[in-house]
Amino acid sequence: MPKNSKVTQREHSNEHVTESVADLLALEEPVDYKQSVLNVSGEAGGKQKAAEEELDAEDRPAWNSKLQYILAQIGFSVGLGNIWRFPYLCQKNGGGAYLVPYLVLLIIIGIPLFFLELAVGQRIRRGSIGVWHYVCPRLGGIGFSSCIVCLFVGLYYNVIIGWSIFYFFKSFQYPLPWSECPVIRNGTMAVVEAECEKSSATTYFWYREALDISNSISESGGLNWKMTLCLLVAWSIVGMAVVKGIQSSGKVMYFSSLFPYVVLACFLVRGLLLRGAVDGILHMFTPKLDKMLDPQVWREAATQVFFALGLGFGGVIAFSSYNKQDNNCHFDAALVSFINFFTSVLATLVVFAVLGFKANIMNEKCVVENAEKILGYLNSNVLSRDLIPPHVNFSHLTTKDYAEMYNVIMTVKEDRFSALGLDPCLLEDELDKSVQGTGLAFIAFTEAMTHFPASPFWSVMFFLMLINLGLGSMIGTMAGITTPIIDTFKVPKEMFTVGCCVFAFFVGLLFVQRSGNYFVTMFDDYSATLPLTVIVILENIAVAWIYGTKKFMQELTEMLGFRPYRFYFYMWKFVSPLCMAVLTTASIIQLGVTPPGYSAWIKEEAAERYLYFPNWAMALLITLIVVATLPIPVVFVLRHFHLLSDGSNTLSVSYKKGRMMKDVSNLEENDETRFILSKVPSEAPSPMPTHRSYLGPGSTSPLESSGNPNGRYGSGYLLASTPESEL
């Protein structure tokens, strides 16, 4: 063999060698392929750098333990929505009746699709972009859309963590700063702030002291410097948690995932000991069966299932991609889904116990105020004392006595009763007052805590819990952005992660204006919901109908070592796609029938008023939805018409020091197969299909026959060790 041949160079050099097929066939001695690691790369031209990076895929970071991984998935799926959105929906949609549609949709949509995302991430060991490019290149845009939705959610979600940080530091005071209305002194006179007097101390603190909110989304009002600083702290915490990938975030999860359960357990015990807690819990579990037939309830339950499990965001796929391939992701799906539901129910018990306590206090306050009105009417002879039952004692007036007195007066003074301005003071009315989202945490719950003994301690614990819940979800959200981008474009991990946090902070300044809360509503209620539904249904279609449910079940059997229940086959194939199609249609109809809007706080009225988004805000909202879903049709069209290569026409194989790494481009199909398998064309399997970069998550041989085109070795996917039987 010539001394200057590439083979001779290889034997005396540690550098990677790239050579043509002609060199290989003319000069090279037979290679021991059994000791080789194969990489079929979809990168055009088979560049050496890409081959090296794919070869190193077996060095992909991995979780230190199964517990760390489970805690990461729990931390991502269990978030702020479990604490305030689920209890609010339960209160709004019929108490215990809401649990029925939620459980049904969790079983037929949530768990199957959660299992699906865990399985594809673990099998392919890539982020969302690589996974869906692998399964179906024409639907590769799903991964890009997932990244965009994660970005949208991360932008406003970290603002909520910033609010929690603000309240956390404000909690180290006694009494709590939102327990009383501020007093304005004008010389010798002391006057209670009018806006606070018309509303309440906690409401005033939230809207005026924390947000310093404007009257509408059109009034920017400039930056709120306190919340800007808190947002900077929030992004700094998130950046430090995710900068090293799972090596740093995995350790954070031990605290951020477990601490909230300690706090919830403490709050549950404390809440059950509160007077009136039983009233709140009974109200929760008393079902209003008519709500079960309301399509709106089912639509909201399905949306909550998506958000609760993190479906479509890419975080579930990203976390599972760091698992070993023999990990039992079937068990993981059931376990995490159960813990998520258990957490929602536990949080709802805590919330309703505390709200029951608050409702009793507010009801007693109502009785006292209206009793004073009645005494005034008695003293001014507007009402006769004969209307007052003899056993009623105004100095120790109970709610039962007041209700009896109220009914007598209403019956006798039927014609002029409304002019008296008396309230019925019913406990049910107080319990039925639903407070949505952030209002539940920052208004209703904070007000209840002001009545707790040692209220600063409980406030510190509560907002520290919110910070940790938000941090766990933000780590998963950031993984849904960074993991697929780093896997696909091979950018430096630390630099890209820090760049994402800095970029997100500056864009997030939109949400810390005085009108920022209205933009949070826009992003939370509208910009992510519809794109997320589209992403999830396309994920299901890509696996169940394009890749094939039967084949996917076979892949799972090989990966897990047992065959999953037949239940999943029917859910993936028929039930889940149908339910999600109905959900998507209902969401679009809902947007058309009910114009999007938001609850604005009007300072002069000291009350909320529902306003519709102005035209420019509607244009922004539509733009956000289009931007989030646009990658899906763009990638589909480009690959359908071969305007964007999927890398299926090239094959990259490289070698270094006994590990085979060569670049082979534009081979004839039979020669390509013969070269890899060391067989003559007649003995080799049928050639690989063209225009397919990823050929399916695993099979029984490296290159499948044309009857089974989705071979194990797809573009850009490396199997770290290749069993001899497969070669």
Side-chain angles (χ1 to χ4, degrees):
M1 185 175 293
K3 293 182 179 180
N4 60 350
S5 74
K6 293 182 180 180
V7 176
T8 305
Q9 293 175 19
R10 181 196 64 187
E11 293 173 351
H12 299 283
S13 173
N14 289 330
E15 298 181 357
H16 293 288
V17 179
T18 301
E19 48 192 303
S20 67
V21 183
D23 290 333
L24 294 169
L25 298 179
L27 302 176
E28 182 65 286
E29 296 178 1
V31 179
D32 183 6
Y33 299 108
K34 296 176 182 179
Q35 302 299 323
S36 303
V37 178
L38 292 181
N39 171 47
V40 179
S41 173
E43 186 172 338
K47 294 183 179 179
Q48 177 178 330
K49 182 179 178 180
E52 293 178 18
E53 290 167 345
E54 291 299 333
L55 181 68
D56 293 335
E58 69 258 33
D59 298 326
R60 183 178 183 83
W63 299 103
N64 292 333
S65 65
K66 180 66 175 283
L67 175 62
Q68 190 180 79
Y69 163 69
I70 292 296
L71 290 177
Q73 291 286 15
I74 292 172
F76 176 49
S77 64
V78 176
L80 298 174
N82 296 77
I83 301 300
W84 62 47
R85 183 172 176 80
F86 187 91
Y88 158 71
L89 291 174
C90 197
Q91 184 182 22
K92 173 188 173 186
N93 296 317
Y98 175 73
L99 298 178
V100 175
Y102 184 85
L103 268 176
V104 170
L105 293 173
L106 179 67
I107 293 172
I108 66 175
I109 294 181
I111 296 177
L113 295 183
F114 189 59
F115 179 30
L116 184 147
E117 289 198 359
L118 290 177
V120 295
Q122 179 175 307
R123 182 65 183 89
I124 303 171
R125 305 196 74 204
R126 289 292 181 272
S128 57
I129 294 176
V131 160
W132 301 115
H133 179 67
Y134 184 103
V135 173
C136 178
R138 290 182 181 180
L139 291 180
I142 294 175
F144 291 99
S145 288
S146 293
C147 290
I148 295 173
V149 170
C150 277
L151 176 62
F152 288 171
V153 172
L155 288 174
Y156 76 81
Y157 204 87
N158 224 22
V159 174
I160 301 175
I161 298 179
W163 296 342
S164 302
I165 291 172
F166 176 79
Y167 269 80
F168 172 75
F169 285 110
K170 286 289 186 178
S171 298
F172 291 93
Q173 304 178 40
Y174 186 82
L176 291 171
W178 52 83
S179 59
E180 296 178 354
C181 286
V183 176
I184 302 174
R185 296 193 177 275
N186 185 8
T188 58
M189 295 183 61
V191 182
V192 177
E193 170 64 47
E195 185 181 1
C196 183
E197 190 174 23
K198 290 180 181 179
S199 54
S200 68
T202 50
T203 303
Y204 175 83
F205 187 88
W206 166 240
Y207 284 119
R208 192 55 52 211
E209 296 293 333
L211 300 181
D212 193 18
I213 200 165
S214 61
N215 283 359
S216 72
I217 195 172
S218 300
E219 301 176 23
S220 169
L223 290 178
N224 180 340
W225 69 268
K226 293 178 289 188
M227 287 306 169
T228 302
L229 184 60
C230 290
L231 180 64
L232 178 61
V233 173
W235 274 114
S236 300
I237 294 173
V238 171
M240 288 187 290
V242 301
V243 67
K244 295 291 185 181
I246 63 171
Q247 285 86 354
S248 57
S249 62
K251 296 178 177 63
V252 173
M253 287 297 183
Y254 284 111
F255 182 77
S256 65
S257 297
L258 294 175
F259 178 74
Y261 289 96
V262 176
V263 178
L264 280 176
C266 293
F267 264 101
L268 180 62
V269 174
R270 184 68 188 90
L272 292 176
L273 296 177
L274 294 171
R275 177 171 51 87
V278 176
D279 295 326
I281 294 175
L282 289 176
H283 180 76
M284 168 194 166
F285 284 107
T286 302
K288 298 178 181 177
L289 300 180
D290 59 308
K291 289 286 187 178
M292 293 175 56
L293 303 178
D294 187 351
Q296 177 69 11
V297 174
W298 287 82
R299 189 181 71 85
E300 291 184 346
T303 303
Q304 178 62 17
V305 168
F306 289 168
F307 276 95
L309 294 177
L311 299 176
F313 287 98
V316 172
I317 293 175
F319 281 159
S320 65
S321 71
Y322 299 111
N323 269 334
K324 296 179 180 179
Q325 289 200 356
D326 60 352
N327 174 64
N328 188 352
C329 57
H330 177 268
F331 171 78
D332 299 343
L335 177 64
V336 174
S337 299
F338 169 77
I339 292 176
N340 187 287
F341 177 71
F342 167 77
T343 307
S344 297
V345 174
L346 176 63
T348 304
L349 284 173
V350 172
V351 168
F352 274 83
V354 174
L355 290 182
F357 167 67
K358 175 179 174 288
N360 273 270
I361 290 177
M362 298 306 295
N363 194 53
E364 290 173 359
K365 182 180 178 181
C366 176
V367 168
V368 171
E369 291 175 351
N370 283 271
E372 291 177 353
K373 288 183 182 180
I374 294 175
L375 280 175
Y377 293 143
L378 292 174
N379 294 331
S380 60
N381 295 321
V382 174
L383 292 177
S384 171
R385 293 187 179 273
D386 295 336
L387 299 177
I388 309 302
H391 65 275
V392 171
N393 184 351
F394 278 91
S395 60
H396 297 88
L397 189 64
T398 65
T399 55
K400 183 179 179 181
D401 290 341
Y402 174 78
E404 184 179 353
M405 184 168 55
Y406 176 87
N407 291 329
V408 171
I409 296 173
M410 183 175 62
T411 303
V412 174
K413 299 289 184 178
E414 182 177 357
D415 297 335
R416 295 180 295 166
F417 180 76
S418 59
L420 299 177
L422 298 178
D423 298 314
C425 297
L426 297 177
L427 183 62
E428 284 292 318
D429 293 342
E430 290 292 337
L431 291 171
D432 283 333
K433 289 181 180 178
S434 58
V435 184
Q436 183 174 5
T438 53
L440 182 62
F442 295 103
I443 297 178
F445 213 86
T446 52
E447 183 174 350
M449 284 189 296
T450 60
H451 301 287
F452 284 16
S455 55
F457 168 78
W458 293 104
S459 184
V460 167
M461 294 290 285
F462 177 72
F463 289 108
L464 185 58
M465 176 187 70
L466 292 188
I467 292 170
N468 279 276
L469 284 170
L471 180 60
S473 296
M474 274 302 300
I475 289 174
T477 302
M478 289 298 294
I481 300 172
T482 58
T483 298
I485 298 296
I486 292 171
D487 286 347
T488 304
F489 301 104
K490 311 301 178 186
V491 295
K493 177 168 52 180
E494 289 83 0
M495 185 181 300
F496 178 70
T497 302
V498 172
C500 281
C501 293
V502 172
F503 171 78
F505 167 73
F506 283 106
V507 177
L509 294 178
L510 172 71
F511 303 98
V512 290
Q513 304 174 90
R514 291 182 59 209
S515 60
N517 188 46
Y518 306 138
F519 287 96
V520 171
T521 301
M522 176 190 293
F523 275 67
D524 187 23
D525 291 348
Y526 300 104
S527 68
T529 303
L530 184 58
L532 193 66
T533 308
V534 173
I535 289 170
V536 174
I537 192 172
L538 288 178
E539 287 180 353
N540 197 172
I541 291 173
V543 172
W545 288 92
I546 298 178
Y547 187 76
T549 310
K550 290 183 179 180
K551 182 174 183 183
F552 185 59
M553 291 288 282
Q554 181 60 34
E555 296 286 349
L556 292 180
T557 303
E558 294 175 1
M559 182 175 73
L560 301 176
F562 64 90
R563 188 172 186 84
Y565 296 118
R566 194 74 177 171
F567 163 81
Y568 292 105
F569 177 90
Y570 295 108
M571 293 300 106
W572 290 331
K573 191 76 172 178
F574 305 109
V575 179
S576 295
L578 178 62
C579 291
M580 288 185 293
V582 173
L583 172 64
T584 305
T585 305
S587 299
I588 295 173
I589 294 174
Q590 180 71 18
L591 284 176
V593 172
T594 306
Y598 62 100
S599 294
W601 179 257
I602 310 301
K603 180 177 181 179
E604 293 73 21
E605 301 174 5
E608 287 185 340
R609 184 194 300 171
Y610 190 81
L611 302 178
Y612 295 117
F613 286 118
N615 292 335
W616 65 266
M618 282 297 300
L620 175 60
L621 174 58
I622 293 172
T623 301
L624 292 172
I625 295 175
V626 170
V627 167
T629 54
L630 190 61
I632 298 173
V634 168
V635 172
F636 181 87
V637 170
L638 291 178
R639 286 195 169 136
H640 180 75
F641 293 102
H642 310 306
L643 301 175
L644 178 65
S645 174
D646 59 13
S648 61
N649 293 330
T650 61
L651 176 67
S652 170
V653 186
S654 307
Y655 65 85
K656 176 181 177 181
K657 285 256 183 196
R659 301 176 79 185
M660 179 178 163
M661 293 183 66
K662 302 191 179 187
D663 287 339
V664 184
S665 300
N666 299 322
L667 288 172
E668 292 294 333
E669 293 175 341
N670 286 343
D671 290 339
E672 176 183 299
T673 307
R674 180 183 60 198
F675 170 72
I676 295 179
L677 300 180
S678 298
K679 295 182 180 182
V680 296
S682 61
E683 298 172 339
S686 299
M688 297 171 62
T690 59
H691 305 297
R692 186 170 180 87
S693 58
Y694 289 103
L695 303 177
S699 62
T700 56
S701 63
L703 296 174
E704 298 285 312
S705 65
S706 58
N708 187 11
N710 298 318
R712 169 170 288 176
Y713 295 97
S715 156
Y717 176 56
L718 172 71
L719 187 65
S721 59
T722 306
E724 179 178 344
S725 61
E726 295 182 1
L727 293 177

